Amino acid sequence: MPASETVPAPAVQYFTVDADSDGQRLDNYLLRELKGVPKTHIYRIIRSGEVRLNKARAQADTRVQAGDVLRVPPIRLPARSVAAAPAAPAREFPVLWEDAALLAVDKPAGVAVHGGSGVSFGVIEQLRQARPQVQSLELAHRLDRETSGILLISKKKSALRQLQDQFRERSTGKTYLALVKGDWPVGRKVVDVPLHKFLLPDGERRVRVTTPDDPEGMRSISLVRVLGRVAPPAGWPAAAEQRFSLLAVTIKTGRTHQIRVHLAHGGHPIVGDDKYGDFELNRLLHKSGLRRMFLHAWQLSFRHPVDGRLIELTAPLPPELRCWGNVSAFCD
C-alpha cells in the first residue's frame, strides 16, 4: 500500500462502557479500545472536543461510567504513521511493593507514566511489555514526567476501581519532598489556593492560581512542613541565592501541577522546575550538578484493595537529589 493511502475506518465509532471499565479515565479507555492509533492522535481528538461522552465534550481525565456511550470521530491516518509507531521497550522499575493485586514502583525522573502528547510510551507501556503474562496493568494515579518516586499500578480491574475510589475520595496519604528557593516560613503550614488549568497554543498544560469566584477554579490544598535549611554545594556563586528549604508537602487534593504552582505562588519555586521556576537559578543549578526538578513522591499510604489493611510505602530520595548541597543531613 502506498504511504499516501489511508487505512479504512468507520465514519463514526460508538463504544458503550462496560462494568469492568467503570471509573477508568477517558484517555486510558480509548488507548485500550483504539489499538494501533497513535496516542498523540487520541489526545488530539479529545482536546478538540471531537470525542463525545453522552453527547457532551469531555476531558482526558474524565472518569467514564458503566453504560456511558462514547462517540469517536472518523480516524483515518496515513498507513506509514500507523506502521511506524514504535513498540515500547520492555523495562522493569525498582519495586517497592508487589502482590497479586497491585504493584508499586519507584519511578525515575524524566520518564512519563504513559505515552501521549509527544511521548511515544511511558512506564505503563514498558511494564506491559516486560510482563505480558499480567492481563491487566493500569495506572492507579499519575506523576509528572520530571517527578520521581512512588507510582501505584493495579494488576486487577477490581483493584483499580477500589484504588481510584480512594484517590478520588482523598483517603490516601501522599507526601512529596521538594527543595525550594529561599526560606519557606515555618509558620506557613497550609496553602489553600484555587487553581485553574489551561492549555497553551501548542496544547501543553499549564496551571495558574485563581480566585475563589472563578467558575473553572478548583479548590487545592497543600500542607507544608519544613524539614531543614539546605546550603548549596562548594563552589556555588557568592552572588547567587544562598538559602534553600527542604519541604515535606502533603497534598489533600490532587490537582495538575498543584505542588509546583502552590510553592511558586508562595514566592519559593521548586528548584529545577522548568515551567514555574526561577530560570536563571535553574541554569546555575544545572552547572552545579542538579539537572532535574527537585520533586519526589516520597510517601504514600492507602488501604489494600483486597483486604483493606493499611499499606505505607516510602521511596528513598534518589542519589542525584540526596547528594546536592547538604540535603542528605535531613534525610536519615
Side-chain angles (χ1 to χ4, degrees):
M1 180 184 293
S4 59
E5 289 187 23
T6 58
V7 176
V12 173
Q13 297 182 72
Y14 289 92
F15 300 91
T16 300
V17 178
D18 59 16
D20 283 343
S21 301
D22 186 78
Q24 192 170 31
R25 282 173 54 120
L26 174 61
D27 53 356
N28 286 340
Y29 180 86
L30 291 177
L31 286 168
R32 187 187 70 209
E33 296 295 332
L34 301 176
K35 295 188 185 300
V37 178
K39 298 175 182 66
T40 52
H41 188 79
I42 291 175
Y43 281 95
R44 188 180 306 121
I45 61 175
I46 294 174
R47 284 197 299 265
S48 67
E50 296 175 84
V51 173
R52 295 282 169 159
L53 176 62
N54 300 327
K55 300 183 179 181
R57 293 177 68 128
Q59 303 297 318
D61 58 359
T62 298
R63 304 286 178 177
V64 300
Q65 298 179 354
D68 283 349
V69 176
L70 283 166
R71 178 191 183 278
V72 178
I75 297 176
R76 295 186 177 90
L77 300 166
R80 182 168 53 189
S81 69
V82 174
R91 180 179 177 182
E92 290 281 1
F93 297 87
V95 174
L96 300 170
W97 173 280
E98 183 172 11
D99 60 21
L102 59 89
L103 168 68
V105 301
D106 190 354
K107 185 190 86 68
V111 180
V113 295
H114 62 74
S117 299
V119 179
S120 298
F121 53 81
V123 171
I124 193 65
E125 291 87 2
Q126 291 178 292
L127 281 173
R128 287 170 181 159
Q129 290 291 329
R131 298 170 175 233
Q133 74 280 5
V134 182
Q135 293 185 350
S136 177
L137 281 175
E138 299 286 351
L139 294 165
H141 65 120
R142 302 292 191 277
L143 291 178
D144 288 346
R145 183 176 182 178
E146 295 307 321
T147 301
S148 55
I150 304 171
L151 181 65
L152 195 58
I153 297 158
S154 70
K155 297 170 70 175
K156 295 182 177 180
K157 289 183 178 179
S158 58
L160 175 65
R161 290 195 298 272
Q162 213 284 333
L163 290 168
Q164 289 179 333
D165 285 345
Q166 291 187 54
F167 283 107
R168 191 159 45 243
E169 295 163 4
R170 306 172 188 172
S171 60
T172 60
K174 293 188 288 184
T175 299
Y176 294 70
L177 292 179
L179 185 68
V180 300
K181 173 184 176 181
D183 287 331
W184 182 274
V186 174
R188 189 189 299 170
K189 298 180 179 180
V190 180
V191 181
D192 185 353
V193 180
L195 300 177
H196 179 117
K197 183 167 62 174
F198 62 98
L199 294 177
L200 297 177
D202 62 0
E204 189 174 357
R205 295 178 303 172
R206 282 291 192 279
V207 177
R208 61 176 173 81
V209 165
T210 189
T211 57
D213 59 353
D214 182 348
E216 296 189 37
M218 301 291 287
R219 189 181 184 189
S220 307
I221 303 171
S222 301
L223 309 181
V224 183
R225 178 164 56 98
V226 178
L227 298 182
R229 306 300 182 183
V230 174
W236 184 254
E241 176 68 49
Q242 298 296 315
R243 300 284 289 176
F244 299 88
S245 302
L246 183 65
L247 309 178
V249 184
T250 300
I251 56 173
K252 307 304 290 184
T253 54
R255 312 302 183 200
T256 300
H257 298 168
Q258 176 176 321
I259 296 175
R260 301 165 70 173
V261 177
H262 270 175
L263 299 184
H265 174 68
H268 301 274
I270 297 176
V271 301
D273 188 342
D274 64 356
K275 288 184 172 64
Y276 309 100
D278 182 324
F279 305 128
E280 181 60 36
L281 177 61
N282 288 349
R283 283 191 282 272
L284 294 176
L285 291 163
H286 191 274
K287 293 178 181 178
S288 74
L290 186 58
R291 296 179 172 86
R292 54 159 290 194
M293 179 173 64
F294 200 122
L295 183 61
H296 178 70
W298 181 36
Q299 297 176 335
L300 176 64
S301 63
F302 58 94
R303 292 289 174 180
H304 193 281
V306 176
D307 57 30
R309 71 186 186 278
L310 180 65
I311 306 296
E312 297 179 305
L313 303 177
T314 298
L317 204 61
E320 71 271 16
L321 300 184
R322 185 182 178 88
C323 294
W324 194 83
N326 67 329
V327 168
S328 61
F330 308 102
C331 299
D332 296 325

